[in-house]
Amino acid sequence: MRQVSLGLCFVVATMGTARAQQACDDPVNLPNPVYLSFGETQVPLIKALGKALRATENITLIFRTAGSCTNLDALYNNGKMTTNLFYIPANYDGTSTPPTCTPATGGVIPDIADSVVFVDACPLTKPAGVADFRAAAQPFSFVVPLASSQQAITAEEAYFLFGFGALAGMVAPWLDSTVAYTLPTSKGTILNLAAIISVPPAKWQGTSVATLDQLAINVGTSNKPDATIGILGSGTYEESRSSIRPLAFKAFKQYHAYYPNSTLTALDKKPVRDGHYVAWSYTHWLARTDINGTIINPTARRVIDLIVGENVTPAPAFDPLLIQIHSHFVPVCAMHVKRDFEGGDLSLFQHPEPCDCFFDSQTGTPGPTCSSCTDNSTCGTGKCRHNFCEPR
Amino acid sequence: MSRTIFLGSMFALLAACGDGNKVKQDAAVPDGPGGDAGVDASCFTNPQTHYEIINACTTDQAVDKMPVTPLRNPDGSLPPLP
């Protein structure tokens, strides 16, 4: 009898200590929430930014990941996020998988949506009262396992491989459609590469994988390394360098193929910045605005301003530019080319406040003309930015 | 004679433009959707247009590849998608 009593006490005690699922609308544990719906490639950025915002401004980022077109659809049409969401907790380490919370009954409409491609690449119409804020550039790549013998792919090869199918396309060694991995047409990655190789997203042939993370795993663990190929954005494949690598890419009318970085192992994204690597797009952050184009939600406005690099008041206690750079993107201040639509021709670009020296200091070695500074006095006709003399 | 040597040297210098740090996988034959863009090993030193930008002189590592694409049209153009 005593053993039964003890057993019952144990069960009751255990039930009493079972942890309830965290509610997203808990103002104590998740203060000053901003709800976001963004692409998987933005996860490193949001983790780092969320950590900084939670620690210094008591803002809680609550989010889900989805394809660019899905994100836009939710914002445009007040689509509610009803499943469990991730959130950045207090004392978050910035890299681990965040915990989840349950949204309020009926779900929640995102305050911010992200597209990793020009919004016109999605078959949606942006309504009045939603503004699009352009942020950093992100390269997209055809990726292979480390053991692959292949170093490069041309736009023509990709056209046949993904437009005709692996076997019918006859582009050796990529002749097995079961390991030619693609993504759903809602994903910005396929939308960009579709424009670059002139194969509409709906016509891509291969094995579709639901998420970029799973695609990276499939490519990285394939037992057919030569036949295996996939597509990813830098925000994902640079987190998986231990198992996959990007192919150098030769665009239509280009003489040579180039990696997204100046070498396979570099992090400088120089070919993206100078136009030799053409498969890239800007990230876009959108929110609802008033008739003057000002984001209505002040906390969402601050988050977007920090992401796109606007000067904000009060100034943050962290460097948003540093977060962008270390999230595998190229801030616009380090770009020297631009484009006006998805896959569009490149043209020369000069940012009014360039940050090349700072970018290079974080991803490799600053150029020989880069000198350190604390103010403009030692920069001649240039300006001291992030402790480097930049040309203006 | 000295002028000939000088001109020869200049041509050699121009030919070397953009040659740094290339990895040759196959012989290089640049091509495009409208057929061959022309066999041209030079690069553009003052790019202005899209074509010049993507083919500008650079120290970025380049990979040369001659793709084998049996479905290509005889004139080098791409057939329509199925």
Side-chain angles (χ1 to χ4, degrees):
Chain A
M1 178 64 84
R2 188 175 179 196
Q3 280 182 319
V4 172
S5 299
L6 286 172
L8 283 173
C9 289
F10 176 77
V11 169
V12 171
T14 304
M15 289 171 61
T17 56
R19 185 167 295 181
Q21 172 68 27
Q22 173 68 55
C24 296
D25 58 352
D26 176 351
V28 174
N29 292 317
L30 281 69
N32 303 307
V34 176
Y35 290 90
L36 305 97
S37 185
F38 56 81
E40 290 176 75
T41 56
Q42 309 302 300
V43 168
L45 168 71
I46 295 301
K47 282 181 174 178
L49 180 64
K51 174 187 176 182
L53 284 171
R54 187 66 196 256
T56 63
E57 302 188 20
N58 215 28
I59 291 174
T60 307
L61 300 186
I62 306 175
F63 61 91
R64 71 170 182 190
T65 60
S68 292
C69 300
T70 303
N71 300 330
L72 295 180
D73 191 26
L75 188 70
Y76 291 174
N77 299 304
N78 295 324
K80 292 189 174 180
M81 303 186 293
T82 56
T83 56
N84 281 357
L85 306 172
F86 294 101
Y87 72 93
I88 304 299
N91 304 310
Y92 177 58
D93 64 9
T95 54
S96 60
T97 302
T100 58
C101 62
T102 301
T105 302
V108 59
I109 300 170
D111 298 306
I112 296 175
D114 147 77
S115 171
V116 300
V117 291
F118 286 85
V119 298
D120 290 346
C122 291
L124 299 165
T125 301
K126 186 166 69 71
V130 173
D132 173 4
F133 300 89
R134 182 184 296 183
Q138 174 182 209
F140 299 94
S141 291
F142 297 94
V143 295
V144 294
L146 293 183
S148 169
S149 65
Q150 298 303 297
Q151 301 299 323
I153 189 168
T154 69
E156 293 79 5
E157 290 179 307
Y159 177 89
F160 288 116
L161 168 58
F162 290 109
F164 285 72
L167 195 60
M170 301 175 68
V171 180
W174 301 299
L175 301 173
D176 184 346
S177 62
T178 64
V179 289
Y181 295 111
T182 67
L183 292 164
T185 58
S186 62
K187 299 286 190 182
T189 300
I190 194 171
L191 294 176
N192 174 263
L193 291 172
I196 296 294
I197 67 170
S198 299
V199 177
K203 285 187 171 282
W204 278 55
Q205 301 193 39
T207 297
S208 184
V209 183
T211 68
L212 277 73
D213 285 345
Q214 188 58 53
L215 191 147
I217 292 171
N218 288 7
V219 172
T221 59
S222 174
N223 59 7
K224 303 176 184 178
D226 258 10
T228 299
I229 188 169
I231 55 173
L232 288 172
S234 64
T236 303
Y237 68 70
E238 291 202 350
E239 296 273 299
S240 304
R241 281 187 163 216
S242 61
S243 59
I244 62 177
R245 58 178 166 82
L247 292 172
F249 180 70
K250 184 160 83 83
F252 293 125
K253 299 183 179 176
Q254 194 165 28
Y255 295 161
H256 309 289
Y258 295 92
Y259 297 110
N261 295 288
S262 61
T263 68
L264 177 60
T265 56
L267 295 171
D268 55 17
K269 296 191 176 53
K270 187 168 173 292
V272 175
R273 297 156 66 191
D274 66 22
H276 285 85
Y277 190 84
V278 303
W280 63 267
S281 194
Y282 300 106
T283 53
H284 297 253
W285 298 85
L286 296 92
R288 281 174 287 277
T289 59
D290 60 23
I291 58 172
N292 298 315
T294 301
I295 299 175
I296 297 170
N297 181 323
T299 314
R301 180 166 68 242
R302 183 167 178 84
V303 171
I304 286 187
D305 282 348
L306 290 169
I307 290 174
V308 303
E310 289 289 327
N311 291 323
V312 296
T313 302
F318 55 91
D319 189 343
L321 191 61
L322 207 57
I323 291 177
Q324 290 275 356
I325 294 170
H326 288 290
S327 299
H328 316 300
F329 303 135
V330 182
V332 177
C333 57
M335 291 292 289
H336 296 274
V337 291
K338 67 178 180 70
R339 59 174 20 127
D340 295 323
F341 57 90
E342 204 60 38
D345 280 357
L346 301 178
S347 56
L348 296 177
F349 170 69
Q350 283 192 332
H351 195 278
E353 297 182 359
C355 61
D356 293 273
C357 291
F358 180 62
F359 185 90
D360 288 334
S361 75
Q362 296 298 312
T363 59
T365 306
T369 60
C370 293
S371 57
S372 58
C373 59
T374 54
D375 56 51
N376 293 336
S377 63
T378 57
C379 295
T381 58
K383 298 285 187 191
C384 187
R385 302 188 197 283
H386 293 91
N387 298 123
F388 280 96
C389 289
E390 305 279 2
R392 56 191 170 275
Chain B
M1 176 66 136
S2 60
R3 184 180 178 190
T4 305
I5 294 172
F6 174 75
L7 287 172
S9 301
M10 290 302 296
F11 282 127
L13 185 64
L14 286 171
C17 170
D19 253 354
N21 207 21
K22 287 193 179 59
V23 174
K24 287 197 177 295
Q25 186 168 4
D26 289 292
V29 178
D31 47 20
D36 282 347
V39 179
D40 186 353
S42 66
C43 57
F44 295 93
T45 56
N46 185 27
Q48 298 296 313
T49 65
H50 171 83
Y51 177 70
E52 293 172 355
I53 289 170
I54 65 176
N55 294 307
C57 299
T58 181
T59 56
D60 299 340
Q61 181 180 4
V63 178
D64 289 332
K65 184 175 187 182
M66 184 173 181
V68 177
T69 48
L71 298 183
R72 203 146 184 183
N73 292 329
D75 64 357
S77 63
L78 297 176
L81 295 169

